[in-house]
Amino acid sequence: MKLINREKYIQFLRNHREKRVIKIVSGVRRCGKSTLFYLFQQELLQEGVKENQIIAINFEDLEYRDLTDYIQLYEYIKSKIIPNQQMYIFLDEVQHVQGFERVVDSFYIKDNVDIYITGSNAYFMSSKMATLLAGRYVQLDMLPLSFKEFVEAHKETTNLSLNGLYRLFIEQSGFPGTLEYAGHDEMLRTYLEGIVNSVVLKDVMTRLKGSDILILESIIRYIAANVGSLLTPKKIADSLTSMGRKVDSRTVERYIAALRDALLIYEVSRFDVRGKELLRLYSKFYLVDPGLRRFFVPNTGRDTGHILENVVYLELLRRGYTVHVGILKNGEIDFIAQKHGLFEYYQVSQSVLDPTTLDRELTPLFEVKDYHPKFLLTLDEINSNASYEGIQQKNVIEWLLE
């Protein structure tokens, strides 16, 4: 399998190497966390670190099944520590070890120990663990391949244009393992099904003990079919009930929380632009990878606009922004991206060559009277660098490659 050098993520590990903090990498299953650790370990070896200075355990490997007891894990690692040597500890998918935070904390306080851990869900960072390790860790949120990384992975194997690669990206997905199945739709679908089943069965259903997997699947498919639309648990419950899947809003809310914590979906709250406050009712939902939408909802050819929104949302997350939906008195802004106290406003549209569409997309941005940057992202190549009273139009593929 081809290994992709995720430079941004490896640089995070380099920056914090041997610093007095625990390095935590969280991300949905199969997004590349284990490969990231492997590549970083190879880098350490190339720089002169000896193999016996690296302790690497992947808890999804049956070889380490006895170490899911935290006491045995502690004793195992302790037996591998070499006195007066710099040691590197890598604990992959550590959520399988109940009480792992005690082990991590015990080695954190020892000299010459550098600790790295991964987890495939948000709730492995429980309040108890977060309290115990408060101020002692830095966290990296990892996503499947960005479009830029996807293009880089294909540069020596395809003659497709950038537009062609974008279409492949939203159809194939950005999970690194799917690169092996390009052009083999049935095998690709089987691979994606394995990812989804792994997330649903190992992360979601384990948490939602005694829950109805058919209802859960219906909720996932409904959210996937309505990516980028304003939803509430009640609206989802009412829609599913009308389709013959009777469910109440509290159950939907609980299932959504589990899907969100499993990092399969992201919930984006509304933000009142004028009042500068978050609004509770209605949110938008996006999938962790745009290719999953085609898996859940096969006929996506007519809804490429919402898929494009999903791609842009994930890219804003990768660039370190906190993202909300902007609400105005007479309109909506697709994304308000906030970082370091500064705001950027984004409208996303497949095309604005039609004057009516252009006017519809620009009107909410004109309504915002502050001086923060405003962007209109489209797939159009004509007028792709146009400016409208300070609103900068950009070709979204060029923007994704910045």
Side-chain angles (χ1 to χ4, degrees), residues 55-80 89-101 103-104 107:
I55 304 170
I57 302 170
N58 186 330
F59 292 100
E60 297 213 316
D61 187 337
L62 281 175
E63 180 181 350
Y64 301 109
R65 62 186 180 278
D66 294 334
L67 299 183
T68 54
D69 176 89
Y70 78 91
I71 296 295
Q72 292 191 47
L73 175 61
Y74 174 80
E75 294 297 335
Y76 175 84
I77 294 175
K78 183 180 176 183
S79 70
K80 298 285 185 180
I89 300 173
F90 294 86
L91 305 178
D92 203 357
E93 302 295 1
V94 75
Q95 74 272 2
H96 292 292
V97 182
Q98 188 171 2
F100 73 87
E101 62 273 12
V103 178
V104 171
F107 287 107

mmCIF file of all heavy atoms in Angstrom, residues 55-80 89-101 103-104 107:
data_model
loop_
_atom_site.group_PDB
_atom_site.id
_atom_site.type_symbol
_atom_site.label_atom_id
_atom_site.label_comp_id
_atom_site.label_asym_id
_atom_site.label_seq_id
_atom_site.Cartn_x
_atom_site.Cartn_y
_atom_site.Cartn_z
ATOM 1 N N ILE A 55 8.806 2.220 21.768
ATOM 2 C CA ILE A 55 7.802 1.242 22.211
ATOM 3 C C ILE A 55 6.504 1.575 21.488
ATOM 4 O O ILE A 55 5.892 2.619 21.751
ATOM 5 C CB ILE A 55 7.594 1.305 23.733
ATOM 6 C CG1 ILE A 55 8.925 1.101 24.464
ATOM 7 C CG2 ILE A 55 6.556 0.282 24.181
ATOM 8 C CD1 ILE A 55 8.850 1.393 25.957
ATOM 9 N N ALA A 56 6.100 0.728 20.542
ATOM 10 C CA ALA A 56 4.921 1.000 19.717
ATOM 11 C C ALA A 56 3.904 -0.120 19.889
ATOM 12 O O ALA A 56 4.213 -1.288 19.665
ATOM 13 C CB ALA A 56 5.325 1.128 18.250
ATOM 14 N N ILE A 57 2.687 0.250 20.282
ATOM 15 C CA ILE A 57 1.617 -0.727 20.509
ATOM 16 C C ILE A 57 0.356 -0.264 19.780
ATOM 17 O O ILE A 57 -0.101 0.872 19.980
ATOM 18 C CB ILE A 57 1.295 -0.874 22.011
ATOM 19 C CG1 ILE A 57 2.554 -1.288 22.785
ATOM 20 C CG2 ILE A 57 0.181 -1.890 22.225
ATOM 21 C CD1 ILE A 57 2.395 -1.217 24.289
ATOM 22 N N ASN A 58 -0.197 -1.128 18.931
ATOM 23 C CA ASN A 58 -1.482 -0.854 18.287
ATOM 24 C C ASN A 58 -2.518 -1.794 18.911
ATOM 25 O O ASN A 58 -2.441 -3.011 18.755
ATOM 26 C CB ASN A 58 -1.392 -1.088 16.771
ATOM 27 C CG ASN A 58 -2.672 -0.682 16.059
ATOM 28 O OD1 ASN A 58 -3.768 -0.748 16.606
ATOM 29 N ND2 ASN A 58 -2.531 -0.238 14.811
ATOM 30 N N PHE A 59 -3.472 -1.229 19.616
ATOM 31 C CA PHE A 59 -4.410 -2.042 20.385
ATOM 32 C C PHE A 59 -5.483 -2.712 19.529
ATOM 33 O O PHE A 59 -6.337 -3.422 20.055
ATOM 34 C CB PHE A 59 -5.041 -1.198 21.493
ATOM 35 C CG PHE A 59 -4.046 -0.810 22.556
ATOM 36 C CD1 PHE A 59 -3.471 0.447 22.574
ATOM 37 C CD2 PHE A 59 -3.651 -1.725 23.516
ATOM 38 C CE1 PHE A 59 -2.533 0.800 23.532
ATOM 39 C CE2 PHE A 59 -2.715 -1.390 24.483
ATOM 40 C CZ PHE A 59 -2.153 -0.123 24.486
ATOM 41 N N GLU A 60 -5.428 -2.507 18.225
ATOM 42 C CA GLU A 60 -6.314 -3.268 17.346
ATOM 43 C C GLU A 60 -5.605 -4.506 16.794
ATOM 44 O O GLU A 60 -6.189 -5.281 16.045
ATOM 45 C CB GLU A 60 -6.816 -2.377 16.211
ATOM 46 C CG GLU A 60 -7.648 -1.210 16.732
ATOM 47 C CD GLU A 60 -8.751 -0.794 15.813
ATOM 48 O OE1 GLU A 60 -8.507 -0.710 14.602
ATOM 49 O OE2 GLU A 60 -9.872 -0.549 16.311
ATOM 50 N N ASP A 61 -4.368 -4.675 17.179
ATOM 51 C CA ASP A 61 -3.595 -5.863 16.825
ATOM 52 C C ASP A 61 -3.758 -6.885 17.957
ATOM 53 O O ASP A 61 -3.455 -6.602 19.117
ATOM 54 C CB ASP A 61 -2.121 -5.476 16.654
ATOM 55 C CG ASP A 61 -1.260 -6.622 16.120
ATOM 56 O OD1 ASP A 61 -1.655 -7.788 16.288
ATOM 57 O OD2 ASP A 61 -0.200 -6.337 15.554
ATOM 58 N N LEU A 62 -4.222 -8.100 17.614
ATOM 59 C CA LEU A 62 -4.454 -9.130 18.633
ATOM 60 C C LEU A 62 -3.196 -9.499 19.414
ATOM 61 O O LEU A 62 -3.278 -10.042 20.512
ATOM 62 C CB LEU A 62 -5.037 -10.387 17.975
ATOM 63 C CG LEU A 62 -6.533 -10.354 17.652
ATOM 64 C CD1 LEU A 62 -6.941 -11.611 16.903
ATOM 65 C CD2 LEU A 62 -7.363 -10.204 18.921
ATOM 66 N N GLU A 63 -2.050 -9.203 18.844
ATOM 67 C CA GLU A 63 -0.797 -9.492 19.542
ATOM 68 C C GLU A 63 -0.757 -8.810 20.902
ATOM 69 O O GLU A 63 -0.103 -9.290 21.834
ATOM 70 C CB GLU A 63 0.386 -9.036 18.674
ATOM 71 C CG GLU A 63 1.739 -9.301 19.303
ATOM 72 C CD GLU A 63 2.899 -8.821 18.425
ATOM 73 O OE1 GLU A 63 2.643 -8.456 17.260
ATOM 74 O OE2 GLU A 63 4.041 -8.819 18.909
ATOM 75 N N TYR A 64 -1.466 -7.685 21.018
ATOM 76 C CA TYR A 64 -1.425 -6.906 22.261
ATOM 77 C C TYR A 64 -2.739 -6.999 23.043
ATOM 78 O O TYR A 64 -3.033 -6.135 23.872
ATOM 79 C CB TYR A 64 -1.120 -5.443 21.933
ATOM 80 C CG TYR A 64 0.190 -5.261 21.211
ATOM 81 C CD1 TYR A 64 0.215 -4.903 19.859
ATOM 82 C CD2 TYR A 64 1.400 -5.466 21.855
ATOM 83 C CE1 TYR A 64 1.418 -4.745 19.184
ATOM 84 C CE2 TYR A 64 2.611 -5.315 21.187
ATOM 85 C CZ TYR A 64 2.611 -4.953 19.850
ATOM 86 O OH TYR A 64 3.797 -4.803 19.186
ATOM 87 N N ARG A 65 -3.534 -8.032 22.788
ATOM 88 C CA ARG A 65 -4.853 -8.132 23.426
ATOM 89 C C ARG A 65 -4.762 -8.195 24.947
ATOM 90 O O ARG A 65 -5.664 -7.743 25.647
ATOM 91 C CB ARG A 65 -5.616 -9.348 22.894
ATOM 92 C CG ARG A 65 -4.955 -10.696 23.168
ATOM 93 C CD ARG A 65 -5.703 -11.829 22.468
ATOM 94 N NE ARG A 65 -5.096 -13.142 22.698
ATOM 95 C CZ ARG A 65 -4.071 -13.605 22.016
ATOM 96 N NH1 ARG A 65 -3.532 -12.868 21.045
ATOM 97 N NH2 ARG A 65 -3.583 -14.805 22.269
ATOM 98 N N ASP A 66 -3.660 -8.758 25.483
ATOM 99 C CA ASP A 66 -3.534 -8.867 26.943
ATOM 100 C C ASP A 66 -3.193 -7.530 27.595
ATOM 101 O O ASP A 66 -3.288 -7.394 28.818
ATOM 102 C CB ASP A 66 -2.452 -9.890 27.311
ATOM 103 C CG ASP A 66 -2.834 -11.306 26.904
ATOM 104 O OD1 ASP A 66 -4.050 -11.577 26.814
ATOM 105 O OD2 ASP A 66 -1.930 -12.127 26.664
ATOM 106 N N LEU A 67 -2.814 -6.548 26.784
ATOM 107 C CA LEU A 67 -2.390 -5.265 27.338
ATOM 108 C C LEU A 67 -3.531 -4.263 27.458
ATOM 109 O O LEU A 67 -3.306 -3.107 27.793
ATOM 110 C CB LEU A 67 -1.260 -4.669 26.481
ATOM 111 C CG LEU A 67 0.015 -5.494 26.385
ATOM 112 C CD1 LEU A 67 1.073 -4.756 25.577
ATOM 113 C CD2 LEU A 67 0.551 -5.837 27.770
ATOM 114 N N THR A 68 -4.766 -4.712 27.164
ATOM 115 C CA THR A 68 -5.899 -3.805 27.336
ATOM 116 C C THR A 68 -6.267 -3.622 28.805
ATOM 117 O O THR A 68 -7.117 -2.802 29.134
ATOM 118 C CB THR A 68 -7.127 -4.302 26.544
ATOM 119 O OG1 THR A 68 -7.405 -5.647 26.912
ATOM 120 C CG2 THR A 68 -6.865 -4.230 25.040
ATOM 121 N N ASP A 69 -5.640 -4.391 29.682
ATOM 122 C CA ASP A 69 -5.717 -4.136 31.123
ATOM 123 C C ASP A 69 -4.622 -3.118 31.458
ATOM 124 O O ASP A 69 -3.437 -3.338 31.183
ATOM 125 C CB ASP A 69 -5.485 -5.431 31.907
ATOM 126 C CG ASP A 69 -5.462 -5.185 33.405
ATOM 127 O OD1 ASP A 69 -6.538 -5.246 34.023
ATOM 128 O OD2 ASP A 69 -4.357 -4.925 33.935
ATOM 129 N N TYR A 70 -5.013 -2.000 32.050
ATOM 130 C CA TYR A 70 -4.052 -0.905 32.192
ATOM 131 C C TYR A 70 -2.881 -1.262 33.112
ATOM 132 O O TYR A 70 -1.756 -0.759 32.926
ATOM 133 C CB TYR A 70 -4.747 0.383 32.637
ATOM 134 C CG TYR A 70 -5.098 0.486 34.094
ATOM 135 C CD1 TYR A 70 -4.203 1.063 34.994
ATOM 136 C CD2 TYR A 70 -6.331 0.048 34.572
ATOM 137 C CE1 TYR A 70 -4.522 1.175 36.337
ATOM 138 C CE2 TYR A 70 -6.655 0.163 35.913
ATOM 139 C CZ TYR A 70 -5.748 0.725 36.786
ATOM 140 O OH TYR A 70 -6.068 0.844 38.122
ATOM 141 N N ILE A 71 -3.096 -2.150 34.084
ATOM 142 C CA ILE A 71 -1.996 -2.551 34.958
ATOM 143 C C ILE A 71 -0.950 -3.348 34.162
ATOM 144 O O ILE A 71 0.260 -3.104 34.274
ATOM 145 C CB ILE A 71 -2.504 -3.397 36.145
ATOM 146 C CG1 ILE A 71 -3.423 -2.552 37.041
ATOM 147 C CG2 ILE A 71 -1.336 -3.952 36.948
ATOM 148 C CD1 ILE A 71 -2.717 -1.407 37.732
ATOM 149 N N GLN A 72 -1.438 -4.279 33.332
ATOM 150 C CA GLN A 72 -0.512 -5.066 32.508
ATOM 151 C C GLN A 72 0.188 -4.193 31.485
ATOM 152 O O GLN A 72 1.363 -4.402 31.179
ATOM 153 C CB GLN A 72 -1.275 -6.203 31.817
ATOM 154 C CG GLN A 72 -1.772 -7.269 32.783
ATOM 155 C CD GLN A 72 -2.277 -8.507 32.079
ATOM 156 O OE1 GLN A 72 -1.624 -9.024 31.179
ATOM 157 N NE2 GLN A 72 -3.457 -8.979 32.481
ATOM 158 N N LEU A 73 -0.538 -3.219 30.953
ATOM 159 C CA LEU A 73 0.083 -2.291 30.007
ATOM 160 C C LEU A 73 1.207 -1.511 30.687
ATOM 161 O O LEU A 73 2.305 -1.372 30.127
ATOM 162 C CB LEU A 73 -0.970 -1.326 29.461
ATOM 163 C CG LEU A 73 -0.454 -0.209 28.548
ATOM 164 C CD1 LEU A 73 0.215 -0.779 27.313
ATOM 165 C CD2 LEU A 73 -1.591 0.743 28.163
ATOM 166 N N TYR A 74 0.946 -1.051 31.896
ATOM 167 C CA TYR A 74 1.963 -0.303 32.629
ATOM 168 C C TYR A 74 3.204 -1.168 32.860
ATOM 169 O O TYR A 74 4.334 -0.713 32.626
ATOM 170 C CB TYR A 74 1.400 0.179 33.968
ATOM 171 C CG TYR A 74 2.444 0.833 34.842
ATOM 172 C CD1 TYR A 74 2.830 2.150 34.630
ATOM 173 C CD2 TYR A 74 3.070 0.110 35.862
ATOM 174 C CE1 TYR A 74 3.811 2.735 35.416
ATOM 175 C CE2 TYR A 74 4.041 0.693 36.658
ATOM 176 C CZ TYR A 74 4.416 2.006 36.426
ATOM 177 O OH TYR A 74 5.394 2.586 37.193
ATOM 178 N N GLU A 75 2.996 -2.396 33.315
ATOM 179 C CA GLU A 75 4.127 -3.282 33.595
ATOM 180 C C GLU A 75 4.909 -3.604 32.319
ATOM 181 O O GLU A 75 6.148 -3.689 32.342
ATOM 182 C CB GLU A 75 3.632 -4.575 34.256
ATOM 183 C CG GLU A 75 3.033 -4.378 35.645
ATOM 184 C CD GLU A 75 4.047 -3.834 36.652
ATOM 185 O OE1 GLU A 75 5.267 -4.036 36.460
ATOM 186 O OE2 GLU A 75 3.618 -3.194 37.641
ATOM 187 N N TYR A 76 4.195 -3.783 31.207
ATOM 188 C CA TYR A 76 4.856 -4.095 29.932
ATOM 189 C C TYR A 76 5.760 -2.930 29.497
ATOM 190 O O TYR A 76 6.934 -3.130 29.143
ATOM 191 C CB TYR A 76 3.803 -4.373 28.862
ATOM 192 C CG TYR A 76 4.375 -4.586 27.476
ATOM 193 C CD1 TYR A 76 4.861 -5.833 27.076
ATOM 194 C CD2 TYR A 76 4.432 -3.530 26.564
ATOM 195 C CE1 TYR A 76 5.392 -6.022 25.806
ATOM 196 C CE2 TYR A 76 4.963 -3.714 25.297
ATOM 197 C CZ TYR A 76 5.434 -4.953 24.921
ATOM 198 O OH TYR A 76 5.970 -5.131 23.662
ATOM 199 N N ILE A 77 5.210 -1.724 29.524
ATOM 200 C CA ILE A 77 5.996 -0.560 29.098
ATOM 201 C C ILE A 77 7.170 -0.345 30.053
ATOM 202 O O ILE A 77 8.304 -0.078 29.620
ATOM 203 C CB ILE A 77 5.110 0.696 29.035
ATOM 204 C CG1 ILE A 77 4.055 0.541 27.942
ATOM 205 C CG2 ILE A 77 5.964 1.940 28.768
ATOM 206 C CD1 ILE A 77 3.059 1.685 27.890
ATOM 207 N N LYS A 78 6.890 -0.493 31.351
ATOM 208 C CA LYS A 78 7.939 -0.305 32.353
ATOM 209 C C LYS A 78 9.115 -1.255 32.100
ATOM 210 O O LYS A 78 10.289 -0.868 32.244
ATOM 211 C CB LYS A 78 7.366 -0.542 33.745
ATOM 212 C CG LYS A 78 8.343 -0.316 34.884
ATOM 213 C CD LYS A 78 7.675 -0.591 36.228
ATOM 214 C CE LYS A 78 8.663 -0.470 37.374
ATOM 215 N NZ LYS A 78 8.028 -0.820 38.683
ATOM 216 N N SER A 79 8.808 -2.499 31.663
ATOM 217 C CA SER A 79 9.869 -3.484 31.421
ATOM 218 C C SER A 79 10.707 -3.136 30.190
ATOM 219 O O SER A 79 11.828 -3.631 30.035
ATOM 220 C CB SER A 79 9.265 -4.881 31.235
ATOM 221 O OG SER A 79 8.554 -4.976 30.007
ATOM 222 N N LYS A 80 10.168 -2.275 29.319
ATOM 223 C CA LYS A 80 10.872 -1.913 28.087
ATOM 224 C C LYS A 80 11.689 -0.619 28.231
ATOM 225 O O LYS A 80 12.499 -0.294 27.352
ATOM 226 C CB LYS A 80 9.855 -1.719 26.949
ATOM 227 C CG LYS A 80 9.044 -2.967 26.591
ATOM 228 C CD LYS A 80 9.876 -3.963 25.817
ATOM 229 C CE LYS A 80 9.041 -5.145 25.356
ATOM 230 N NZ LYS A 80 9.841 -6.134 24.593
ATOM 231 N N ILE A 89 7.176 6.467 23.325
ATOM 232 C CA ILE A 89 6.066 5.543 23.510
ATOM 233 C C ILE A 89 4.926 5.929 22.567
ATOM 234 O O ILE A 89 4.458 7.079 22.592
ATOM 235 C CB ILE A 89 5.560 5.558 24.964
ATOM 236 C CG1 ILE A 89 6.681 5.153 25.924
ATOM 237 C CG2 ILE A 89 4.356 4.641 25.134
ATOM 238 C CD1 ILE A 89 6.304 5.298 27.395
ATOM 239 N N PHE A 90 4.485 4.973 21.738
ATOM 240 C CA PHE A 90 3.381 5.190 20.810
ATOM 241 C C PHE A 90 2.247 4.215 21.152
ATOM 242 O O PHE A 90 2.432 2.995 21.055
ATOM 243 C CB PHE A 90 3.841 4.963 19.365
ATOM 244 C CG PHE A 90 4.851 5.963 18.883
ATOM 245 C CD1 PHE A 90 6.214 5.770 19.111
ATOM 246 C CD2 PHE A 90 4.454 7.109 18.210
ATOM 247 C CE1 PHE A 90 7.151 6.684 18.680
ATOM 248 C CE2 PHE A 90 5.387 8.044 17.769
ATOM 249 C CZ PHE A 90 6.738 7.831 18.001
ATOM 250 N N LEU A 91 1.112 4.755 21.548
ATOM 251 C CA LEU A 91 -0.050 3.933 21.899
ATOM 252 C C LEU A 91 -1.162 4.251 20.899
ATOM 253 O O LEU A 91 -1.769 5.325 20.949
ATOM 254 C CB LEU A 91 -0.504 4.218 23.327
ATOM 255 C CG LEU A 91 0.567 4.054 24.411
ATOM 256 C CD1 LEU A 91 0.002 4.411 25.780
ATOM 257 C CD2 LEU A 91 1.135 2.643 24.417
ATOM 258 N N ASP A 92 -1.416 3.303 19.991
ATOM 259 C CA ASP A 92 -2.335 3.516 18.871
ATOM 260 C C ASP A 92 -3.704 2.901 19.180
ATOM 261 O O ASP A 92 -3.777 1.741 19.589
ATOM 262 C CB ASP A 92 -1.733 2.861 17.613
ATOM 263 C CG ASP A 92 -2.269 3.461 16.340
ATOM 264 O OD1 ASP A 92 -3.147 4.331 16.408
ATOM 265 O OD2 ASP A 92 -1.814 3.045 15.253
ATOM 266 N N GLU A 93 -4.771 3.685 18.971
ATOM 267 C CA GLU A 93 -6.151 3.278 19.298
ATOM 268 C C GLU A 93 -6.265 2.924 20.780
ATOM 269 O O GLU A 93 -6.779 1.881 21.184
ATOM 270 C CB GLU A 93 -6.601 2.104 18.415
ATOM 271 C CG GLU A 93 -6.545 2.389 16.921
ATOM 272 C CD GLU A 93 -7.527 3.474 16.466
ATOM 273 O OE1 GLU A 93 -8.254 4.036 17.319
ATOM 274 O OE2 GLU A 93 -7.576 3.769 15.270
ATOM 275 N N VAL A 94 -5.815 3.841 21.585
ATOM 276 C CA VAL A 94 -5.681 3.616 23.021
ATOM 277 C C VAL A 94 -7.033 3.557 23.734
ATOM 278 O O VAL A 94 -7.106 3.147 24.900
ATOM 279 C CB VAL A 94 -4.771 4.708 23.632
ATOM 280 C CG1 VAL A 94 -5.515 6.044 23.733
ATOM 281 C CG2 VAL A 94 -4.217 4.290 24.978
ATOM 282 N N GLN A 95 -8.106 3.923 23.028
ATOM 283 C CA GLN A 95 -9.422 3.880 23.676
ATOM 284 C C GLN A 95 -9.847 2.470 24.067
ATOM 285 O O GLN A 95 -10.776 2.289 24.851
ATOM 286 C CB GLN A 95 -10.494 4.513 22.772
ATOM 287 C CG GLN A 95 -10.927 3.681 21.576
ATOM 288 C CD GLN A 95 -10.053 3.914 20.354
ATOM 289 O OE1 GLN A 95 -9.090 4.676 20.422
ATOM 290 N NE2 GLN A 95 -10.389 3.271 19.253
ATOM 291 N N HIS A 96 -9.145 1.459 23.541
ATOM 292 C CA HIS A 96 -9.462 0.071 23.899
ATOM 293 C C HIS A 96 -8.997 -0.282 25.318
ATOM 294 O O HIS A 96 -9.353 -1.343 25.838
ATOM 295 C CB HIS A 96 -8.801 -0.895 22.907
ATOM 296 C CG HIS A 96 -9.391 -0.832 21.534
ATOM 297 N ND1 HIS A 96 -10.660 -1.248 21.254
ATOM 298 C CD2 HIS A 96 -8.875 -0.380 20.362
ATOM 299 C CE1 HIS A 96 -10.912 -1.076 19.960
ATOM 300 N NE2 HIS A 96 -9.845 -0.543 19.400
ATOM 301 N N VAL A 97 -8.209 0.579 25.927
ATOM 302 C CA VAL A 97 -7.684 0.322 27.276
ATOM 303 C C VAL A 97 -8.437 1.189 28.280
ATOM 304 O O VAL A 97 -8.252 2.409 28.315
ATOM 305 C CB VAL A 97 -6.171 0.634 27.352
ATOM 306 C CG1 VAL A 97 -5.636 0.307 28.745
ATOM 307 C CG2 VAL A 97 -5.409 -0.113 26.279
ATOM 308 N N GLN A 98 -9.289 0.576 29.068
ATOM 309 C CA GLN A 98 -10.002 1.332 30.090
ATOM 310 C C GLN A 98 -9.024 1.716 31.196
ATOM 311 O O GLN A 98 -8.356 0.876 31.775
ATOM 312 C CB GLN A 98 -11.153 0.503 30.661
ATOM 313 C CG GLN A 98 -12.043 1.302 31.596
ATOM 314 C CD GLN A 98 -13.290 0.540 31.991
ATOM 315 O OE1 GLN A 98 -13.474 -0.603 31.598
ATOM 316 N NE2 GLN A 98 -14.152 1.171 32.775
ATOM 317 N N GLY A 99 -8.948 3.003 31.451
ATOM 318 C CA GLY A 99 -8.005 3.495 32.450
ATOM 319 C C GLY A 99 -6.641 3.825 31.876
ATOM 320 O O GLY A 99 -5.678 4.027 32.627
ATOM 321 N N PHE A 100 -6.546 3.905 30.540
ATOM 322 C CA PHE A 100 -5.241 4.173 29.913
ATOM 323 C C PHE A 100 -4.644 5.491 30.382
ATOM 324 O O PHE A 100 -3.420 5.658 30.400
ATOM 325 C CB PHE A 100 -5.362 4.184 28.382
ATOM 326 C CG PHE A 100 -6.055 5.405 27.831
ATOM 327 C CD1 PHE A 100 -5.343 6.564 27.556
ATOM 328 C CD2 PHE A 100 -7.420 5.396 27.592
ATOM 329 C CE1 PHE A 100 -5.991 7.691 27.061
ATOM 330 C CE2 PHE A 100 -8.063 6.516 27.087
ATOM 331 C CZ PHE A 100 -7.342 7.672 26.823
ATOM 332 N N GLU A 101 -5.511 6.448 30.779
ATOM 333 C CA GLU A 101 -4.996 7.750 31.189
ATOM 334 C C GLU A 101 -4.084 7.637 32.407
ATOM 335 O O GLU A 101 -3.162 8.434 32.578
ATOM 336 C CB GLU A 101 -6.149 8.725 31.472
ATOM 337 C CG GLU A 101 -7.074 8.334 32.593
ATOM 338 C CD GLU A 101 -8.210 7.424 32.157
ATOM 339 O OE1 GLU A 101 -8.172 6.905 31.020
ATOM 340 O OE2 GLU A 101 -9.132 7.225 32.971
ATOM 341 N N VAL A 103 -1.983 5.146 32.945
ATOM 342 C CA VAL A 103 -0.684 4.701 32.407
ATOM 343 C C VAL A 103 0.042 5.885 31.795
ATOM 344 O O VAL A 103 1.235 6.124 32.048
ATOM 345 C CB VAL A 103 -0.891 3.598 31.356
ATOM 346 C CG1 VAL A 103 0.450 3.169 30.771
ATOM 347 C CG2 VAL A 103 -1.617 2.404 31.964
ATOM 348 N N VAL A 104 -0.683 6.647 30.969
ATOM 349 C CA VAL A 104 -0.084 7.792 30.287
ATOM 350 C C VAL A 104 0.442 8.801 31.300
ATOM 351 O O VAL A 104 1.563 9.310 31.173
ATOM 352 C CB VAL A 104 -1.124 8.448 29.354
ATOM 353 C CG1 VAL A 104 -0.599 9.774 28.812
ATOM 354 C CG2 VAL A 104 -1.473 7.514 28.202
ATOM 355 N N PHE A 107 3.750 7.647 33.060
ATOM 356 C CA PHE A 107 4.991 7.783 32.299
ATOM 357 C C PHE A 107 5.287 9.232 31.934
ATOM 358 O O PHE A 107 6.443 9.589 31.700
ATOM 359 C CB PHE A 107 4.944 6.899 31.039
ATOM 360 C CG PHE A 107 5.087 5.436 31.367
ATOM 361 C CD1 PHE A 107 3.994 4.576 31.293
ATOM 362 C CD2 PHE A 107 6.309 4.919 31.789
ATOM 363 C CE1 PHE A 107 4.123 3.234 31.622
ATOM 364 C CE2 PHE A 107 6.440 3.576 32.121
ATOM 365 C CZ PHE A 107 5.344 2.729 32.044
#
